[in-house]
Amino acid sequence: MGNDNLLHLLMNREVRSHRPGTAINRVRHYYERLTPKFSVHNIRCPDFYIRKFVNDGQLLICLSNCQQEVIVYRYTGLSYCTPGEGKPPQSVADLPEKAKTFEGYFRQLYVRRLSMNPELMCKDFCVVIHEGKYAVLASSTRAEHGENESAQRNVSTLPVMESMTLHLLRLSDGEVCDRLVFENDLMHLSHNTAVSVYNNMLVLLSIRHQCIRIIGVSKLGLFKKLRELGPYCHEDDELTLMQAAKVEAEHQAEKLG
């Protein structure tokens, strides 16, 4: 059995390598030796919606209460000292006041306004891609029943969003690199229901148009429409079916004649 001493585990993590595919198990083994003593409740936080951490845990993505701005914080860790002669705190009452505030652990990097009226940010949607370099957020109008039937293969009984926008945010500096707008559509964005991520591609499910859209995200921070799958998988499928239907109609006319 290996040494379970926390100091030895830290030293071994620095000097020893692990076998391919076993990094997660090694990390879990390390954190098994860190046991919380108590929890601090009722932390004073700014008025916003906390969305998610990026993969490395360094940045925290939040949305403003007005649902039009994104706020990004950097995790600073423990930035305070406890009173006493080297003795750890025994209860929440022993912690300094800074330990009971949100600012004691996070530092605000920037605030960026992403959407304008009438669109509001979807507070339950956020996708991080390119190893945490970019974040994709979404805003949309309210889904309502309308009379717009411009799409040939839509589901007319469903509500429709007049517009829905995907925002590609560069997390390092808050620059909005690209936007992608969908009009007269319906996608269930809450908890990423209609969105899947594969490598650096987004797969979007349109309920309104009954199709799947594949969107690529380049390293330069640009959206690129790659493919759309619906009633037709290829661009010439509709023409092929029309030709087949024409031949079938002529054949039926000859039989009746």
Side-chain angles (χ1 to χ4, degrees):
M1 295 180 62
N3 196 321
D4 289 339
N5 183 280
L6 183 59
L7 177 60
H8 289 172
L9 288 174
L10 287 171
M11 294 173 60
N12 292 335
R13 190 176 67 168
E14 293 182 1
V15 301
R16 293 184 180 180
S17 60
H18 53 77
R19 290 177 295 177
T22 63
I24 295 297
N25 292 332
R26 292 290 296 272
V27 171
R28 288 175 178 171
H29 180 69
Y30 164 72
Y31 282 106
E32 286 177 356
R33 303 302 179 271
L34 297 177
T35 305
K37 295 182 62 176
F38 47 81
S39 300
V40 181
H41 300 280
N42 300 322
I43 292 292
R44 296 190 297 274
C45 295
D47 191 11
F48 53 48
Y49 298 103
I50 297 178
R51 185 60 198 104
K52 68 179 300 181
F53 281 95
V54 297
N55 296 339
D56 61 3
Q58 294 298 311
L59 300 179
L60 178 65
I61 302 173
C62 308
L63 296 178
S64 64
N65 193 38
C66 67
Q67 292 184 241
Q68 292 186 329
E69 297 173 334
V70 60
I71 311 169
V72 176
Y73 289 87
R74 180 175 295 281
Y75 175 67
T76 59
L78 302 180
S79 57
Y80 56 84
C81 297
T82 57
E85 299 178 357
K87 296 180 179 180
Q90 301 299 318
S91 66
V92 177
D94 296 334
L95 294 175
E97 195 64 24
K98 190 176 182 181
K100 304 174 185 179
T101 63
F102 182 83
E103 290 76 10
Y105 304 89
F106 296 92
R107 174 173 57 87
Q108 181 177 301
L109 293 182
Y110 52 80
V111 180
R112 290 290 180 272
R113 189 179 186 88
L114 296 184
S115 65
M116 301 292 292
N117 289 328
E119 287 192 2
L120 295 176
M121 301 297 300
C122 178
K123 62 183 180 181
D124 296 325
F125 174 84
C126 181
V127 174
V128 178
I129 54 178
H130 278 295
E131 299 180 352
K133 184 177 181 180
Y134 298 104
V136 180
L137 299 106
S139 62
S140 67
T141 58
R142 186 184 298 274
E144 297 177 349
H145 288 275
E147 298 179 357
N148 191 328
E149 304 298 339
S150 58
Q152 296 181 358
R153 57 178 182 271
N154 61 16
V155 180
S156 58
T157 58
L158 292 176
V160 61
M161 297 173 178
E162 183 178 348
S163 64
M164 192 204 77
T165 306
L166 295 181
H167 309 267
L168 186 61
L169 181 73
R170 189 166 57 207
L171 291 172
S172 60
D173 56 5
E175 180 71 19
V176 180
C177 299
D178 200 2
R179 286 185 170 93
L180 188 60
V181 180
F182 301 96
E183 297 181 348
N184 300 319
D185 208 335
L186 178 64
M187 300 183 191
H188 294 314
L189 298 177
S190 296
H191 306 292
N192 303 353
T193 303
V195 180
S196 297
V197 179
Y198 179 76
N199 290 335
N200 297 314
M201 294 185 295
L202 301 177
V203 182
L204 311 177
L205 173 62
S206 172
I207 305 298
R208 176 75 175 181
H209 297 282
Q210 295 292 287
C211 67
I212 296 174
R213 300 186 179 102
I214 302 177
I215 310 296
V217 181
S218 69
K219 293 183 178 180
L220 299 177
L222 297 174
F223 287 121
K224 183 178 180 181
K225 297 181 179 179
L226 300 179
R227 196 168 182 182
E228 181 174 312
L229 304 176
Y232 312 113
C233 295
H234 300 281
E235 296 181 355
D236 58 347
D237 282 355
E238 185 177 8
L239 177 60
T240 302
L241 293 175
M242 290 176 61
Q243 291 175 345
K246 182 179 179 181
V247 172
E248 179 65 21
E250 292 175 352
H251 175 68
Q252 294 295 335
E254 291 178 0
K255 291 176 60 177
L256 295 176

